[in-house]
Amino acid sequence: MTDPTADNPGGADAEGHARRTVRPRDAASLILWRHGPSGPEVLMGKRHAKHRFMPDVMVFPGGRVDPDDHRLPALSELAPATRRMLERRAPPARARAIGIAAVRELFEETGLVLGERRGDGVAAALGTLHYICRAVTPGGRPIRFNARFLAAPAEAVHGDIAGSGELEDLDWYTPEAAHRRHVADITGKVLVEFLEWLEMPPRARSSRPLIVFRGMDNRHQER
């Protein structure tokens, strides 16, 4: 399980600066969405007030890729388009592990299962995941992530929301409601990317330009 004091890649960057350049760690966040009475809603929670940095920030469930994520089983494998997009910046085994991490973190932080319970863990339904974008923490920060943001529809999960304590106030929020509770800049920009993706015809999603946020949350097209 991810260290509860570690930064969630769907949230803000660590405060302070490192004395040397820190290599970004691969991470994954999952945007779970549903259609509510006022439009799209996403599952988010607030980072605990006792976290080392940037407390009380609204984020998506997520965390860094663990070594075991390379070995965990899956109920289904990544869809071709999602796999292709993840493999743009990761070898095949790592791309799969990123998908596994997203599903594992969802389960650990919210109790929701995207796949099938297997013992204390989950066999992930990787085939339900969609790729949205990625974001790399600026250089010079003491903790850095190369975070991939994936998405899945709420109807693909089962179970009841039961937070682990890492994220507070777990609930479904419209983007406007989430912003009223303090959304970091990068999270807000990822939300924009997700909403644009959601409005696209399904056939157009697999051919759209891939986006990465670098530096101070600057938007770039992947090359």
Side-chain angles (χ1 to χ4, degrees):
M1 181 176 176
T2 301
D3 177 0
T5 66
D7 190 22
N8 181 301
D13 304 324
E15 298 287 354
H17 296 275
R19 294 183 179 179
R20 59 180 176 82
T21 301
V22 177
R23 182 177 180 180
R25 292 176 286 181
D26 285 323
S29 280
L30 184 55
I31 305 171
L32 198 66
W33 91 89
R34 69 182 188 184
H35 293 289
S38 300
E41 299 175 343
V42 293
L43 183 66
M44 300 185 76
K46 183 175 288 189
R47 285 174 51 77
H48 197 278
K50 294 183 179 179
H51 280 187
R52 291 178 297 162
F53 40 77
M54 294 300 290
D56 298 325
V57 173
M58 295 293 289
V59 296
F60 312 111
R64 65 175 180 260
V65 177
D66 289 343
D68 286 346
D69 292 330
H70 290 82
R71 298 182 286 272
L72 292 177
L75 197 63
S76 62
E77 296 300 326
L78 295 167
T82 303
R83 184 181 68 247
R84 173 177 55 81
M85 292 176 183
L86 283 170
E87 290 180 0
R88 185 78 173 266
R89 296 297 178 184
R94 194 65 169 173
R96 182 182 186 275
I98 290 167
I100 292 285
V103 176
R104 174 182 56 75
E105 289 284 343
L106 176 73
F107 173 64
E108 291 177 355
E109 294 182 355
T110 74
L112 296 176
V113 176
L114 182 61
E116 181 180 277
R117 282 294 303 271
R118 299 273 179 90
D120 294 331
V122 174
L126 296 178
T128 63
L129 297 176
H130 303 272
Y131 182 90
I132 303 301
C133 62
R134 71 184 181 102
V136 182
T137 309
R141 299 298 175 90
I143 296 177
R144 301 183 68 209
F145 289 105
N146 183 356
R148 280 71 164 192
F149 291 86
L150 304 171
E155 57 264 28
V157 304
H158 57 93
D160 298 319
I161 296 177
S164 65
E166 184 171 346
L167 298 180
E168 299 180 327
D169 300 329
L170 274 167
D171 208 343
W172 299 95
Y173 296 90
T174 63
E176 295 79 12
H179 276 287
R180 288 196 294 269
R181 299 177 66 89
H182 187 193
V183 169
D185 287 346
I186 184 59
T187 309
K189 291 181 179 182
V190 171
L191 267 173
V192 170
E193 297 294 324
F194 164 71
L195 293 172
E196 290 181 353
W197 173 88
L198 194 61
E199 292 178 355
M200 291 181 178
R203 290 186 178 182
R205 293 171 179 170
S206 61
S207 59
R208 76 189 194 285
L210 300 187
I211 299 302
V212 56
F213 291 94
R214 293 185 177 277
M216 298 308 293
D217 304 336
N218 296 317
R219 186 179 187 272
H220 302 278
Q221 186 171 323
E222 296 269 21
R223 295 182 180 179

